[in-house]
Amino acid sequence: GIQVEQSPPDLILQEGANSTLRCNFSDSVNNLQWFHQNPWGQLINLFYIPSGTKQNGRLSATTVATERYSLLYISSSQTTDSGVYFCAVILNQAGTALIFGKGTTLSVSS
Amino acid sequence: DAGVIQSPRHEVTEMGQEVTLRCKPISGHDYLFWYRQTMMRGLELLIYFNNNVPIDDSGMPEDRFSAKMPNASFSTLKIQPSEPRDSAVYFCASSLVPGLGDTEAFFGQGTRLTVV
């Protein structure tokens, strides 16, 4: 079955808007990371967050491990935020490598 | 540290040719991972190494694919013979012991492979 599910699959925003991206996972995790894949294809680390809440500038993330989901918040979006956002987890019962969701494609227009 | 370094960044080859992708992990990282990204399948794990030893190669699609890690600072992914369906972006990543404290994985810039 699906182990990492992200929603929405696509998101279109005007510059300045806020957004919330969601990641559901099928089992308990010992690692969860959020990545941004920019238009040049580079995977950029945003957060390492198997539990709790972290903030970095306009971005913040919360993982509720007991309920098996994580949220990525983007505030005051900018055109440079465009790209694909991936959630990736290491499930406790499924080895040692990150398993990726299918991503949320974000397009921010000016 | 310069991060994970992959080469080449782009590779175009003809069907049937051998292709070798290279990766230098972050110094001190114990784990090295090879992923492939396609539109159809997304990002999928091919193989990973711990201390230069292959641990799980169940994601390697066929015998045409092979990976080696001769030392802690170098790994190769080889496709022989290559086929058009191998066209994808191949990523290498490295980390300290996964799941043990703050041990996030870092990815290289990828190699975009096109087989014509």
Side-chain angles (χ1 to χ4, degrees):
Chain A
I2 296 174
Q3 295 179 302
V4 184
E5 192 170 37
Q6 292 187 242
S7 60
D10 300 283
L11 191 55
I12 300 174
L13 299 175
Q14 287 283 327
E15 207 168 22
N18 302 329
S19 60
T20 300
L21 284 58
R22 187 176 180 103
C23 172
N24 292 331
F25 40 93
S26 58
D27 201 350
S28 56
V29 300
N30 56 40
N31 184 347
L32 188 146
Q33 293 184 236
W34 283 97
F35 296 88
H36 174 215
Q37 187 167 39
N38 63 24
W40 294 270
Q42 191 176 2
L43 281 166
I44 299 166
N45 288 38
L46 296 178
F47 295 102
Y48 169 87
I49 188 164
S51 63
T53 297
K54 290 186 177 179
Q55 180 156 6
N56 184 1
R58 296 181 297 102
L59 273 60
S60 64
T62 295
T63 296
V64 183
T66 53
E67 298 187 22
R68 300 182 183 171
Y69 72 89
S70 183
L71 302 174
L72 178 68
Y73 305 96
I74 305 174
S75 64
S76 303
S77 58
Q78 302 176 356
T79 56
T80 51
D81 295 331
S82 296
V84 184
Y85 289 81
F86 289 103
C87 169
V89 306
I90 297 179
L91 299 174
N92 279 341
Q93 303 302 320
T96 317
L98 288 170
I99 299 169
F100 281 78
K102 293 188 181 299
T104 292
T105 301
L106 175 64
S107 298
V108 182
S109 58
S110 57
Chain B
D1 201 312
V4 178
I5 300 173
Q6 292 186 245
S7 64
R9 292 290 311 279
H10 302 275
E11 177 82 36
V12 180
T13 190
E14 291 186 347
M15 182 173 61
Q17 296 297 307
E18 177 179 293
V19 176
T20 300
L21 312 181
R22 296 172 175 81
C23 175
K24 175 178 167 52
I26 293 172
S27 177
H29 278 188
D30 305 297
Y31 283 76
L32 183 140
F33 308 86
W34 283 100
Y35 285 84
R36 178 172 68 175
Q37 185 177 30
T38 61
M39 288 294 292
M40 291 295 293
R41 300 174 67 89
L43 275 153
E44 53 180 347
L45 176 73
L46 299 177
I47 185 172
Y48 74 90
F49 296 82
N50 176 22
N51 290 324
N52 313 337
V53 176
I55 303 300
D56 183 355
D57 65 354
S58 59
M60 297 284 263
E62 300 172 32
D63 291 345
R64 299 183 296 106
F65 285 70
S66 62
K68 295 182 180 179
M69 192 165 185
N71 57 61
S73 60
F74 184 65
S75 177
T76 59
L77 177 67
K78 186 176 293 187
I79 308 173
Q80 166 64 21
S82 57
E83 296 183 3
R85 60 193 167 125
D86 302 330
S87 297
V89 180
Y90 292 81
F91 286 100
C92 176
S94 71
S95 74
L96 294 171
V97 180
L100 193 67
D102 198 349
T103 56
E104 58 189 300
F106 293 88
F107 282 72
Q109 292 187 302
T111 295
R112 182 174 296 276
L113 173 65
T114 303
V115 183
V116 298

